[in-house]
Amino acid sequence: MIISILGMGLFLSLLIEVNFGTDPCSFMNRNVASRFGLTLGNLQVIANAVMFILSLIFARNLIGFGTFFNWICIGYIADFFCAIWKRAGLHDFLQLAESMNWRIIIFAFAIFFFVVTAATYMNAQLGVAPYDAIPMIISGWISKVPFFIIRICYDMLAITIGVCASLSNPKGMQGSLLGSIILALSIGPAVTIVGKWMRAHVLRFDE
């Protein structure tokens, strides 16, 4: 779980740098943070604190060490690595027109491993972030609808909130819709696939 969350922060920072879009939660939080002059890490903590109330009321079984580690750390991990990329010159390099091929390669690499690490952390059974708990709560209420469909709809709502926040932001939209929509369509199915694999090959050893 810890390795997965560290990986999520790292790959999120690369998605931010190539600027082709991020996961829906980060897309929403980046745009809301930019609108109000906050860092991603600070906004992530505030937003998850609000959503944590729903976890306390409806799904205390989803709260664990992973809940707080994700809630508090991922935004700051991404901020930390973004600062490193800036000091190392990667940020400036990726702004150049001739770096487009490298941006595409990094985007494909980062988006794949972000989805895998996100799915792994959510299936580690050590608690999930408040943002990730809400679709699980909804899935429990309407169990006839597959989880991945609920997750996709939920993530698309987060993207919509991010777009709305960007409309009143003088700095414009933070990140592209492309990667955010791809991730919105990918995370739900990935959680299901990785969960089946982990239950068959990893979590069964807990017994």
PDB file of all heavy atoms in Angstrom, residues 81-120:
ATOM      1  N   PHE A  81       7.838  15.965  -6.098  1.00  0.00           N
ATOM      2  CA  PHE A  81       8.481  15.510  -7.332  1.00  0.00           C
ATOM      3  C   PHE A  81       8.415  16.574  -8.426  1.00  0.00           C
ATOM      4  O   PHE A  81       9.354  16.700  -9.227  1.00  0.00           O
ATOM      5  CB  PHE A  81       7.859  14.199  -7.812  1.00  0.00           C
ATOM      6  CG  PHE A  81       8.402  12.994  -7.117  1.00  0.00           C
ATOM      7  CD1 PHE A  81       7.615  12.271  -6.225  1.00  0.00           C
ATOM      8  CD2 PHE A  81       9.708  12.575  -7.338  1.00  0.00           C
ATOM      9  CE1 PHE A  81       8.117  11.155  -5.570  1.00  0.00           C
ATOM     10  CE2 PHE A  81      10.224  11.457  -6.692  1.00  0.00           C
ATOM     11  CZ  PHE A  81       9.426  10.753  -5.802  1.00  0.00           C
ATOM     12  N   CYS A  82       7.343  17.354  -8.469  1.00  0.00           N
ATOM     13  CA  CYS A  82       7.267  18.444  -9.449  1.00  0.00           C
ATOM     14  C   CYS A  82       8.391  19.454  -9.213  1.00  0.00           C
ATOM     15  O   CYS A  82       8.981  19.981 -10.168  1.00  0.00           O
ATOM     16  CB  CYS A  82       5.904  19.136  -9.381  1.00  0.00           C
ATOM     17  SG  CYS A  82       4.566  18.227 -10.192  1.00  0.00           S
ATOM     18  N   ALA A  83       8.693  19.709  -7.932  1.00  0.00           N
ATOM     19  CA  ALA A  83       9.801  20.624  -7.607  1.00  0.00           C
ATOM     20  C   ALA A  83      11.130  20.026  -8.066  1.00  0.00           C
ATOM     21  O   ALA A  83      12.009  20.745  -8.560  1.00  0.00           O
ATOM     22  CB  ALA A  83       9.825  20.896  -6.099  1.00  0.00           C
ATOM     23  N   ILE A  84      11.279  18.703  -7.909  1.00  0.00           N
ATOM     24  CA  ILE A  84      12.504  18.037  -8.363  1.00  0.00           C
ATOM     25  C   ILE A  84      12.633  18.131  -9.883  1.00  0.00           C
ATOM     26  O   ILE A  84      13.709  18.434 -10.419  1.00  0.00           O
ATOM     27  CB  ILE A  84      12.511  16.559  -7.918  1.00  0.00           C
ATOM     28  CG1 ILE A  84      12.723  16.474  -6.405  1.00  0.00           C
ATOM     29  CG2 ILE A  84      13.607  15.771  -8.651  1.00  0.00           C
ATOM     30  CD1 ILE A  84      12.742  15.065  -5.865  1.00  0.00           C
ATOM     31  N   TRP A  85      11.545  17.851 -10.609  1.00  0.00           N
ATOM     32  CA  TRP A  85      11.595  17.931 -12.078  1.00  0.00           C
ATOM     33  C   TRP A  85      11.941  19.346 -12.538  1.00  0.00           C
ATOM     34  O   TRP A  85      12.640  19.515 -13.529  1.00  0.00           O
ATOM     35  CB  TRP A  85      10.252  17.511 -12.689  1.00  0.00           C
ATOM     36  CG  TRP A  85       9.734  16.165 -12.277  1.00  0.00           C
ATOM     37  CD1 TRP A  85       8.433  15.826 -12.033  1.00  0.00           C
ATOM     38  CD2 TRP A  85      10.481  14.947 -12.077  1.00  0.00           C
ATOM     39  NE1 TRP A  85       8.322  14.508 -11.672  1.00  0.00           N
ATOM     40  CE2 TRP A  85       9.564  13.942 -11.704  1.00  0.00           C
ATOM     41  CE3 TRP A  85      11.834  14.622 -12.169  1.00  0.00           C
ATOM     42  CZ2 TRP A  85       9.960  12.630 -11.435  1.00  0.00           C
ATOM     43  CZ3 TRP A  85      12.223  13.318 -11.889  1.00  0.00           C
ATOM     44  CH2 TRP A  85      11.306  12.351 -11.542  1.00  0.00           C
ATOM     45  N   LYS A  86      11.478  20.334 -11.796  1.00  0.00           N
ATOM     46  CA  LYS A  86      11.781  21.719 -12.165  1.00  0.00           C
ATOM     47  C   LYS A  86      13.256  22.019 -11.960  1.00  0.00           C
ATOM     48  O   LYS A  86      13.916  22.626 -12.818  1.00  0.00           O
ATOM     49  CB  LYS A  86      10.916  22.682 -11.351  1.00  0.00           C
ATOM     50  CG  LYS A  86      10.920  24.101 -11.877  1.00  0.00           C
ATOM     51  CD  LYS A  86       9.827  24.930 -11.238  1.00  0.00           C
ATOM     52  CE  LYS A  86       9.761  26.309 -11.876  1.00  0.00           C
ATOM     53  NZ  LYS A  86       8.659  27.129 -11.308  1.00  0.00           N
ATOM     54  N   ARG A  87      13.804  21.586 -10.832  1.00  0.00           N
ATOM     55  CA  ARG A  87      15.217  21.832 -10.545  1.00  0.00           C
ATOM     56  C   ARG A  87      16.122  21.026 -11.474  1.00  0.00           C
ATOM     57  O   ARG A  87      17.220  21.469 -11.818  1.00  0.00           O
ATOM     58  CB  ARG A  87      15.534  21.488  -9.086  1.00  0.00           C
ATOM     59  CG  ARG A  87      14.894  22.425  -8.077  1.00  0.00           C
ATOM     60  CD  ARG A  87      15.226  22.018  -6.651  1.00  0.00           C
ATOM     61  NE  ARG A  87      16.643  22.139  -6.379  1.00  0.00           N
ATOM     62  CZ  ARG A  87      17.229  23.237  -5.930  1.00  0.00           C
ATOM     63  NH1 ARG A  87      16.503  24.344  -5.728  1.00  0.00           N
ATOM     64  NH2 ARG A  87      18.517  23.266  -5.679  1.00  0.00           N
ATOM     65  N   ALA A  88      15.653  19.852 -11.891  1.00  0.00           N
ATOM     66  CA  ALA A  88      16.461  18.993 -12.759  1.00  0.00           C
ATOM     67  C   ALA A  88      16.391  19.413 -14.223  1.00  0.00           C
ATOM     68  O   ALA A  88      17.140  18.895 -15.054  1.00  0.00           O
ATOM     69  CB  ALA A  88      16.008  17.547 -12.619  1.00  0.00           C
ATOM     70  N   GLY A  89      15.483  20.327 -14.535  1.00  0.00           N
ATOM     71  CA  GLY A  89      15.366  20.815 -15.912  1.00  0.00           C
ATOM     72  C   GLY A  89      14.339  20.080 -16.752  1.00  0.00           C
ATOM     73  O   GLY A  89      14.098  20.448 -17.909  1.00  0.00           O
ATOM     74  N   LEU A  90      13.716  19.026 -16.185  1.00  0.00           N
ATOM     75  CA  LEU A  90      12.726  18.277 -16.956  1.00  0.00           C
ATOM     76  C   LEU A  90      11.511  19.145 -17.283  1.00  0.00           C
ATOM     77  O   LEU A  90      10.971  19.070 -18.390  1.00  0.00           O
ATOM     78  CB  LEU A  90      12.279  17.035 -16.174  1.00  0.00           C
ATOM     79  CG  LEU A  90      11.210  16.161 -16.860  1.00  0.00           C
ATOM     80  CD1 LEU A  90      11.753  15.583 -18.161  1.00  0.00           C
ATOM     81  CD2 LEU A  90      10.742  15.043 -15.918  1.00  0.00           C
ATOM     82  N   HIS A  91      11.109  19.968 -16.340  1.00  0.00           N
ATOM     83  CA  HIS A  91       9.945  20.839 -16.548  1.00  0.00           C
ATOM     84  C   HIS A  91      10.157  21.758 -17.753  1.00  0.00           C
ATOM     85  O   HIS A  91       9.291  21.844 -18.641  1.00  0.00           O
ATOM     86  CB  HIS A  91       9.675  21.674 -15.287  1.00  0.00           C
ATOM     87  CG  HIS A  91       8.592  22.690 -15.469  1.00  0.00           C
ATOM     88  ND1 HIS A  91       7.254  22.372 -15.377  1.00  0.00           N
ATOM     89  CD2 HIS A  91       8.649  24.028 -15.741  1.00  0.00           C
ATOM     90  CE1 HIS A  91       6.535  23.465 -15.589  1.00  0.00           C
ATOM     91  NE2 HIS A  91       7.352  24.469 -15.808  1.00  0.00           N
ATOM     92  N   ASP A  92      11.301  22.430 -17.792  1.00  0.00           N
ATOM     93  CA  ASP A  92      11.578  23.342 -18.904  1.00  0.00           C
ATOM     94  C   ASP A  92      11.707  22.589 -20.223  1.00  0.00           C
ATOM     95  O   ASP A  92      11.262  23.072 -21.271  1.00  0.00           O
ATOM     96  CB  ASP A  92      12.857  24.139 -18.619  1.00  0.00           C
ATOM     97  CG  ASP A  92      12.682  25.100 -17.449  1.00  0.00           C
ATOM     98  OD1 ASP A  92      11.540  25.531 -17.205  1.00  0.00           O
ATOM     99  OD2 ASP A  92      13.690  25.406 -16.780  1.00  0.00           O
ATOM    100  N   PHE A  93      12.327  21.411 -20.178  1.00  0.00           N
ATOM    101  CA  PHE A  93      12.493  20.617 -21.394  1.00  0.00           C
ATOM    102  C   PHE A  93      11.145  20.231 -21.992  1.00  0.00           C
ATOM    103  O   PHE A  93      10.953  20.300 -23.214  1.00  0.00           O
ATOM    104  CB  PHE A  93      13.305  19.359 -21.085  1.00  0.00           C
ATOM    105  CG  PHE A  93      13.324  18.367 -22.214  1.00  0.00           C
ATOM    106  CD1 PHE A  93      14.062  18.601 -23.368  1.00  0.00           C
ATOM    107  CD2 PHE A  93      12.587  17.184 -22.124  1.00  0.00           C
ATOM    108  CE1 PHE A  93      14.074  17.689 -24.424  1.00  0.00           C
ATOM    109  CE2 PHE A  93      12.600  16.265 -23.171  1.00  0.00           C
ATOM    110  CZ  PHE A  93      13.337  16.520 -24.323  1.00  0.00           C
ATOM    111  N   LEU A  94      10.191  19.853 -21.135  1.00  0.00           N
ATOM    112  CA  LEU A  94       8.894  19.395 -21.617  1.00  0.00           C
ATOM    113  C   LEU A  94       8.034  20.538 -22.154  1.00  0.00           C
ATOM    114  O   LEU A  94       7.001  20.285 -22.785  1.00  0.00           O
ATOM    115  CB  LEU A  94       8.142  18.657 -20.506  1.00  0.00           C
ATOM    116  CG  LEU A  94       8.761  17.320 -20.078  1.00  0.00           C
ATOM    117  CD1 LEU A  94       7.996  16.719 -18.914  1.00  0.00           C
ATOM    118  CD2 LEU A  94       8.808  16.337 -21.245  1.00  0.00           C
ATOM    119  N   GLN A  95       8.449  21.767 -21.915  1.00  0.00           N
ATOM    120  CA  GLN A  95       7.706  22.909 -22.466  1.00  0.00           C
ATOM    121  C   GLN A  95       8.100  23.191 -23.913  1.00  0.00           C
ATOM    122  O   GLN A  95       7.409  23.928 -24.619  1.00  0.00           O
ATOM    123  CB  GLN A  95       7.957  24.170 -21.618  1.00  0.00           C
ATOM    124  CG  GLN A  95       7.721  24.006 -20.125  1.00  0.00           C
ATOM    125  CD  GLN A  95       6.377  23.393 -19.796  1.00  0.00           C
ATOM    126  OE1 GLN A  95       5.341  23.866 -20.243  1.00  0.00           O
ATOM    127  NE2 GLN A  95       6.398  22.326 -19.005  1.00  0.00           N
ATOM    128  N   LEU A  96       9.219  22.615 -24.355  1.00  0.00           N
ATOM    129  CA  LEU A  96       9.703  22.860 -25.708  1.00  0.00           C
ATOM    130  C   LEU A  96       8.884  22.084 -26.728  1.00  0.00           C
ATOM    131  O   LEU A  96       8.458  20.956 -26.478  1.00  0.00           O
ATOM    132  CB  LEU A  96      11.176  22.451 -25.819  1.00  0.00           C
ATOM    133  CG  LEU A  96      12.155  23.147 -24.857  1.00  0.00           C
ATOM    134  CD1 LEU A  96      13.548  22.552 -25.027  1.00  0.00           C
ATOM    135  CD2 LEU A  96      12.174  24.649 -25.112  1.00  0.00           C
ATOM    136  N   ALA A  97       8.672  22.677 -27.888  1.00  0.00           N
ATOM    137  CA  ALA A  97       7.884  22.027 -28.939  1.00  0.00           C
ATOM    138  C   ALA A  97       8.509  20.719 -29.385  1.00  0.00           C
ATOM    139  O   ALA A  97       7.803  19.749 -29.681  1.00  0.00           O
ATOM    140  CB  ALA A  97       7.724  22.981 -30.129  1.00  0.00           C
ATOM    141  N   GLU A  98       9.842  20.678 -29.429  1.00  0.00           N
ATOM    142  CA  GLU A  98      10.519  19.471 -29.906  1.00  0.00           C
ATOM    143  C   GLU A  98      10.474  18.317 -28.908  1.00  0.00           C
ATOM    144  O   GLU A  98      10.954  17.215 -29.203  1.00  0.00           O
ATOM    145  CB  GLU A  98      11.973  19.780 -30.267  1.00  0.00           C
ATOM    146  CG  GLU A  98      12.790  20.431 -29.173  1.00  0.00           C
ATOM    147  CD  GLU A  98      12.790  21.959 -29.310  1.00  0.00           C
ATOM    148  OE1 GLU A  98      11.779  22.511 -29.772  1.00  0.00           O
ATOM    149  OE2 GLU A  98      13.808  22.566 -28.943  1.00  0.00           O
ATOM    150  N   SER A  99       9.928  18.538 -27.727  1.00  0.00           N
ATOM    151  CA  SER A  99       9.856  17.474 -26.727  1.00  0.00           C
ATOM    152  C   SER A  99       8.542  16.693 -26.817  1.00  0.00           C
ATOM    153  O   SER A  99       8.278  15.839 -25.971  1.00  0.00           O
ATOM    154  CB  SER A  99       9.998  18.066 -25.320  1.00  0.00           C
ATOM    155  OG  SER A  99       8.849  18.838 -24.983  1.00  0.00           O
ATOM    156  N   MET A 100       7.722  16.955 -27.827  1.00  0.00           N
ATOM    157  CA  MET A 100       6.399  16.337 -27.915  1.00  0.00           C
ATOM    158  C   MET A 100       6.465  14.811 -27.868  1.00  0.00           C
ATOM    159  O   MET A 100       5.662  14.170 -27.188  1.00  0.00           O
ATOM    160  CB  MET A 100       5.703  16.785 -29.196  1.00  0.00           C
ATOM    161  CG  MET A 100       4.310  16.162 -29.397  1.00  0.00           C
ATOM    162  SD  MET A 100       3.169  16.494 -28.017  1.00  0.00           S
ATOM    163  CE  MET A 100       2.911  18.260 -28.242  1.00  0.00           C
ATOM    164  N   ASN A 101       7.415  14.218 -28.600  1.00  0.00           N
ATOM    165  CA  ASN A 101       7.517  12.755 -28.588  1.00  0.00           C
ATOM    166  C   ASN A 101       7.800  12.223 -27.190  1.00  0.00           C
ATOM    167  O   ASN A 101       7.236  11.198 -26.771  1.00  0.00           O
ATOM    168  CB  ASN A 101       8.608  12.293 -29.555  1.00  0.00           C
ATOM    169  CG  ASN A 101       8.215  12.481 -31.010  1.00  0.00           C
ATOM    170  OD1 ASN A 101       7.029  12.596 -31.335  1.00  0.00           O
ATOM    171  ND2 ASN A 101       9.210  12.530 -31.895  1.00  0.00           N
ATOM    172  N   TRP A 102       8.675  12.916 -26.466  1.00  0.00           N
ATOM    173  CA  TRP A 102       8.994  12.503 -25.102  1.00  0.00           C
ATOM    174  C   TRP A 102       7.781  12.684 -24.191  1.00  0.00           C
ATOM    175  O   TRP A 102       7.532  11.870 -23.293  1.00  0.00           O
ATOM    176  CB  TRP A 102      10.174  13.304 -24.556  1.00  0.00           C
ATOM    177  CG  TRP A 102      11.488  12.766 -25.011  1.00  0.00           C
ATOM    178  CD1 TRP A 102      12.345  13.302 -25.925  1.00  0.00           C
ATOM    179  CD2 TRP A 102      12.100  11.556 -24.564  1.00  0.00           C
ATOM    180  NE1 TRP A 102      13.449  12.511 -26.094  1.00  0.00           N
ATOM    181  CE2 TRP A 102      13.326  11.416 -25.268  1.00  0.00           C
ATOM    182  CE3 TRP A 102      11.738  10.556 -23.661  1.00  0.00           C
ATOM    183  CZ2 TRP A 102      14.179  10.338 -25.081  1.00  0.00           C
ATOM    184  CZ3 TRP A 102      12.586   9.472 -23.475  1.00  0.00           C
ATOM    185  CH2 TRP A 102      13.789   9.374 -24.179  1.00  0.00           C
ATOM    186  N   ARG A 103       6.997  13.729 -24.404  1.00  0.00           N
ATOM    187  CA  ARG A 103       5.794  13.963 -23.598  1.00  0.00           C
ATOM    188  C   ARG A 103       4.802  12.826 -23.787  1.00  0.00           C
ATOM    189  O   ARG A 103       4.184  12.354 -22.831  1.00  0.00           O
ATOM    190  CB  ARG A 103       5.159  15.301 -23.963  1.00  0.00           C
ATOM    191  CG  ARG A 103       5.982  16.512 -23.540  1.00  0.00           C
ATOM    192  CD  ARG A 103       5.347  17.795 -24.051  1.00  0.00           C
ATOM    193  NE  ARG A 103       4.055  18.037 -23.423  1.00  0.00           N
ATOM    194  CZ  ARG A 103       3.204  18.962 -23.849  1.00  0.00           C
ATOM    195  NH1 ARG A 103       3.494  19.685 -24.925  1.00  0.00           N
ATOM    196  NH2 ARG A 103       2.051  19.147 -23.230  1.00  0.00           N
ATOM    197  N   ILE A 104       4.656  12.382 -25.037  1.00  0.00           N
ATOM    198  CA  ILE A 104       3.724  11.283 -25.326  1.00  0.00           C
ATOM    199  C   ILE A 104       4.196   9.990 -24.662  1.00  0.00           C
ATOM    200  O   ILE A 104       3.401   9.250 -24.071  1.00  0.00           O
ATOM    201  CB  ILE A 104       3.585  11.090 -26.847  1.00  0.00           C
ATOM    202  CG1 ILE A 104       2.896  12.305 -27.470  1.00  0.00           C
ATOM    203  CG2 ILE A 104       2.797   9.814 -27.160  1.00  0.00           C
ATOM    204  CD1 ILE A 104       2.877  12.295 -28.985  1.00  0.00           C
ATOM    205  N   ILE A 105       5.503   9.725 -24.742  1.00  0.00           N
ATOM    206  CA  ILE A 105       6.064   8.509 -24.129  1.00  0.00           C
ATOM    207  C   ILE A 105       5.880   8.538 -22.612  1.00  0.00           C
ATOM    208  O   ILE A 105       5.439   7.553 -22.000  1.00  0.00           O
ATOM    209  CB  ILE A 105       7.553   8.363 -24.491  1.00  0.00           C
ATOM    210  CG1 ILE A 105       7.713   8.068 -25.985  1.00  0.00           C
ATOM    211  CG2 ILE A 105       8.211   7.249 -23.655  1.00  0.00           C
ATOM    212  CD1 ILE A 105       9.146   8.111 -26.475  1.00  0.00           C
ATOM    213  N   ILE A 106       6.223   9.661 -21.995  1.00  0.00           N
ATOM    214  CA  ILE A 106       6.096   9.797 -20.535  1.00  0.00           C
ATOM    215  C   ILE A 106       4.635   9.694 -20.120  1.00  0.00           C
ATOM    216  O   ILE A 106       4.301   9.061 -19.108  1.00  0.00           O
ATOM    217  CB  ILE A 106       6.712  11.135 -20.062  1.00  0.00           C
ATOM    218  CG1 ILE A 106       8.228  11.107 -20.268  1.00  0.00           C
ATOM    219  CG2 ILE A 106       6.385  11.382 -18.593  1.00  0.00           C
ATOM    220  CD1 ILE A 106       8.904  12.441 -19.994  1.00  0.00           C
ATOM    221  N   PHE A 107       3.748  10.297 -20.901  1.00  0.00           N
ATOM    222  CA  PHE A 107       2.316  10.249 -20.601  1.00  0.00           C
ATOM    223  C   PHE A 107       1.811   8.804 -20.610  1.00  0.00           C
ATOM    224  O   PHE A 107       1.130   8.368 -19.678  1.00  0.00           O
ATOM    225  CB  PHE A 107       1.549  11.084 -21.627  1.00  0.00           C
ATOM    226  CG  PHE A 107       0.056  11.010 -21.475  1.00  0.00           C
ATOM    227  CD1 PHE A 107      -0.576  11.599 -20.393  1.00  0.00           C
ATOM    228  CD2 PHE A 107      -0.724  10.351 -22.418  1.00  0.00           C
ATOM    229  CE1 PHE A 107      -1.960  11.530 -20.248  1.00  0.00           C
ATOM    230  CE2 PHE A 107      -2.093  10.282 -22.280  1.00  0.00           C
ATOM    231  CZ  PHE A 107      -2.716  10.868 -21.199  1.00  0.00           C
ATOM    232  N   ALA A 108       2.160   8.049 -21.648  1.00  0.00           N
ATOM    233  CA  ALA A 108       1.717   6.656 -21.744  1.00  0.00           C
ATOM    234  C   ALA A 108       2.276   5.829 -20.589  1.00  0.00           C
ATOM    235  O   ALA A 108       1.560   5.015 -19.981  1.00  0.00           O
ATOM    236  CB  ALA A 108       2.148   6.068 -23.082  1.00  0.00           C
ATOM    237  N   PHE A 109       3.566   6.039 -20.266  1.00  0.00           N
ATOM    238  CA  PHE A 109       4.220   5.331 -19.170  1.00  0.00           C
ATOM    239  C   PHE A 109       3.560   5.668 -17.835  1.00  0.00           C
ATOM    240  O   PHE A 109       3.203   4.784 -17.047  1.00  0.00           O
ATOM    241  CB  PHE A 109       5.704   5.720 -19.148  1.00  0.00           C
ATOM    242  CG  PHE A 109       6.461   5.241 -17.948  1.00  0.00           C
ATOM    243  CD1 PHE A 109       6.984   3.954 -17.889  1.00  0.00           C
ATOM    244  CD2 PHE A 109       6.673   6.092 -16.867  1.00  0.00           C
ATOM    245  CE1 PHE A 109       7.687   3.521 -16.767  1.00  0.00           C
ATOM    246  CE2 PHE A 109       7.378   5.673 -15.751  1.00  0.00           C
ATOM    247  CZ  PHE A 109       7.884   4.383 -15.704  1.00  0.00           C
ATOM    248  N   ALA A 110       3.364   6.968 -17.580  1.00  0.00           N
ATOM    249  CA  ALA A 110       2.836   7.416 -16.292  1.00  0.00           C
ATOM    250  C   ALA A 110       1.380   7.022 -16.111  1.00  0.00           C
ATOM    251  O   ALA A 110       0.968   6.632 -15.007  1.00  0.00           O
ATOM    252  CB  ALA A 110       3.001   8.929 -16.156  1.00  0.00           C
ATOM    253  N   ILE A 111       0.595   7.115 -17.167  1.00  0.00           N
ATOM    254  CA  ILE A 111      -0.840   6.827 -17.031  1.00  0.00           C
ATOM    255  C   ILE A 111      -1.053   5.336 -16.758  1.00  0.00           C
ATOM    256  O   ILE A 111      -1.920   4.962 -15.963  1.00  0.00           O
ATOM    257  CB  ILE A 111      -1.610   7.299 -18.297  1.00  0.00           C
ATOM    258  CG1 ILE A 111      -3.073   7.559 -17.954  1.00  0.00           C
ATOM    259  CG2 ILE A 111      -1.530   6.299 -19.423  1.00  0.00           C
ATOM    260  CD1 ILE A 111      -3.840   8.263 -19.056  1.00  0.00           C
ATOM    261  N   PHE A 112      -0.247   4.473 -17.389  1.00  0.00           N
ATOM    262  CA  PHE A 112      -0.374   3.035 -17.148  1.00  0.00           C
ATOM    263  C   PHE A 112      -0.031   2.688 -15.704  1.00  0.00           C
ATOM    264  O   PHE A 112      -0.805   2.016 -15.002  1.00  0.00           O
ATOM    265  CB  PHE A 112       0.528   2.252 -18.106  1.00  0.00           C
ATOM    266  CG  PHE A 112       0.558   0.778 -17.818  1.00  0.00           C
ATOM    267  CD1 PHE A 112      -0.466  -0.044 -18.256  1.00  0.00           C
ATOM    268  CD2 PHE A 112       1.608   0.214 -17.100  1.00  0.00           C
ATOM    269  CE1 PHE A 112      -0.449  -1.417 -17.984  1.00  0.00           C
ATOM    270  CE2 PHE A 112       1.633  -1.150 -16.829  1.00  0.00           C
ATOM    271  CZ  PHE A 112       0.602  -1.965 -17.265  1.00  0.00           C
ATOM    272  N   PHE A 113       1.117   3.171 -15.231  1.00  0.00           N
ATOM    273  CA  PHE A 113       1.551   2.803 -13.892  1.00  0.00           C
ATOM    274  C   PHE A 113       0.746   3.518 -12.810  1.00  0.00           C
ATOM    275  O   PHE A 113       0.603   2.993 -11.702  1.00  0.00           O
ATOM    276  CB  PHE A 113       3.050   3.059 -13.725  1.00  0.00           C
ATOM    277  CG  PHE A 113       3.895   2.019 -14.392  1.00  0.00           C
ATOM    278  CD1 PHE A 113       4.537   2.281 -15.592  1.00  0.00           C
ATOM    279  CD2 PHE A 113       4.025   0.758 -13.840  1.00  0.00           C
ATOM    280  CE1 PHE A 113       5.296   1.319 -16.227  1.00  0.00           C
ATOM    281  CE2 PHE A 113       4.791  -0.222 -14.458  1.00  0.00           C
ATOM    282  CZ  PHE A 113       5.422   0.063 -15.659  1.00  0.00           C
ATOM    283  N   PHE A 114       0.197   4.692 -13.117  1.00  0.00           N
ATOM    284  CA  PHE A 114      -0.676   5.344 -12.138  1.00  0.00           C
ATOM    285  C   PHE A 114      -1.923   4.506 -11.922  1.00  0.00           C
ATOM    286  O   PHE A 114      -2.350   4.295 -10.782  1.00  0.00           O
ATOM    287  CB  PHE A 114      -1.072   6.751 -12.596  1.00  0.00           C
ATOM    288  CG  PHE A 114      -1.941   7.470 -11.597  1.00  0.00           C
ATOM    289  CD1 PHE A 114      -1.371   8.253 -10.603  1.00  0.00           C
ATOM    290  CD2 PHE A 114      -3.327   7.347 -11.627  1.00  0.00           C
ATOM    291  CE1 PHE A 114      -2.170   8.897  -9.656  1.00  0.00           C
ATOM    292  CE2 PHE A 114      -4.127   7.975 -10.690  1.00  0.00           C
ATOM    293  CZ  PHE A 114      -3.547   8.762  -9.705  1.00  0.00           C
ATOM    294  N   VAL A 115      -2.519   4.024 -13.010  1.00  0.00           N
ATOM    295  CA  VAL A 115      -3.724   3.199 -12.901  1.00  0.00           C
ATOM    296  C   VAL A 115      -3.428   1.922 -12.125  1.00  0.00           C
ATOM    297  O   VAL A 115      -4.192   1.517 -11.232  1.00  0.00           O
ATOM    298  CB  VAL A 115      -4.284   2.868 -14.302  1.00  0.00           C
ATOM    299  CG1 VAL A 115      -5.350   1.778 -14.213  1.00  0.00           C
ATOM    300  CG2 VAL A 115      -4.865   4.111 -14.952  1.00  0.00           C
ATOM    301  N   VAL A 116      -2.296   1.270 -12.416  1.00  0.00           N
ATOM    302  CA  VAL A 116      -1.940   0.020 -11.730  1.00  0.00           C
ATOM    303  C   VAL A 116      -1.700   0.264 -10.240  1.00  0.00           C
ATOM    304  O   VAL A 116      -2.196  -0.487  -9.385  1.00  0.00           O
ATOM    305  CB  VAL A 116      -0.695  -0.620 -12.379  1.00  0.00           C
ATOM    306  CG1 VAL A 116      -0.195  -1.794 -11.534  1.00  0.00           C
ATOM    307  CG2 VAL A 116      -1.014  -1.099 -13.786  1.00  0.00           C
ATOM    308  N   THR A 117      -0.937   1.303  -9.911  1.00  0.00           N
ATOM    309  CA  THR A 117      -0.652   1.572  -8.493  1.00  0.00           C
ATOM    310  C   THR A 117      -1.911   2.005  -7.750  1.00  0.00           C
ATOM    311  O   THR A 117      -2.116   1.638  -6.584  1.00  0.00           O
ATOM    312  CB  THR A 117       0.446   2.645  -8.340  1.00  0.00           C
ATOM    313  OG1 THR A 117       0.094   3.810  -9.099  1.00  0.00           O
ATOM    314  CG2 THR A 117       1.791   2.123  -8.814  1.00  0.00           C
ATOM    315  N   ALA A 118      -2.786   2.782  -8.415  1.00  0.00           N
ATOM    316  CA  ALA A 118      -4.037   3.197  -7.779  1.00  0.00           C
ATOM    317  C   ALA A 118      -4.917   1.989  -7.484  1.00  0.00           C
ATOM    318  O   ALA A 118      -5.493   1.862  -6.389  1.00  0.00           O
ATOM    319  CB  ALA A 118      -4.783   4.182  -8.681  1.00  0.00           C
ATOM    320  N   ALA A 119      -5.022   1.074  -8.449  1.00  0.00           N
ATOM    321  CA  ALA A 119      -5.831  -0.122  -8.258  1.00  0.00           C
ATOM    322  C   ALA A 119      -5.244  -1.017  -7.169  1.00  0.00           C
ATOM    323  O   ALA A 119      -5.983  -1.610  -6.369  1.00  0.00           O
ATOM    324  CB  ALA A 119      -5.941  -0.888  -9.577  1.00  0.00           C
ATOM    325  N   THR A 120      -3.918  -1.105  -7.109  1.00  0.00           N
ATOM    326  CA  THR A 120      -3.265  -1.931  -6.097  1.00  0.00           C
ATOM    327  C   THR A 120      -3.502  -1.388  -4.698  1.00  0.00           C
ATOM    328  O   THR A 120      -3.842  -2.141  -3.767  1.00  0.00           O
ATOM    329  CB  THR A 120      -1.747  -2.012  -6.367  1.00  0.00           C
ATOM    330  OG1 THR A 120      -1.531  -2.515  -7.685  1.00  0.00           O
ATOM    331  CG2 THR A 120      -1.070  -2.932  -5.363  1.00  0.00           C
TER     332      THR A 120
END
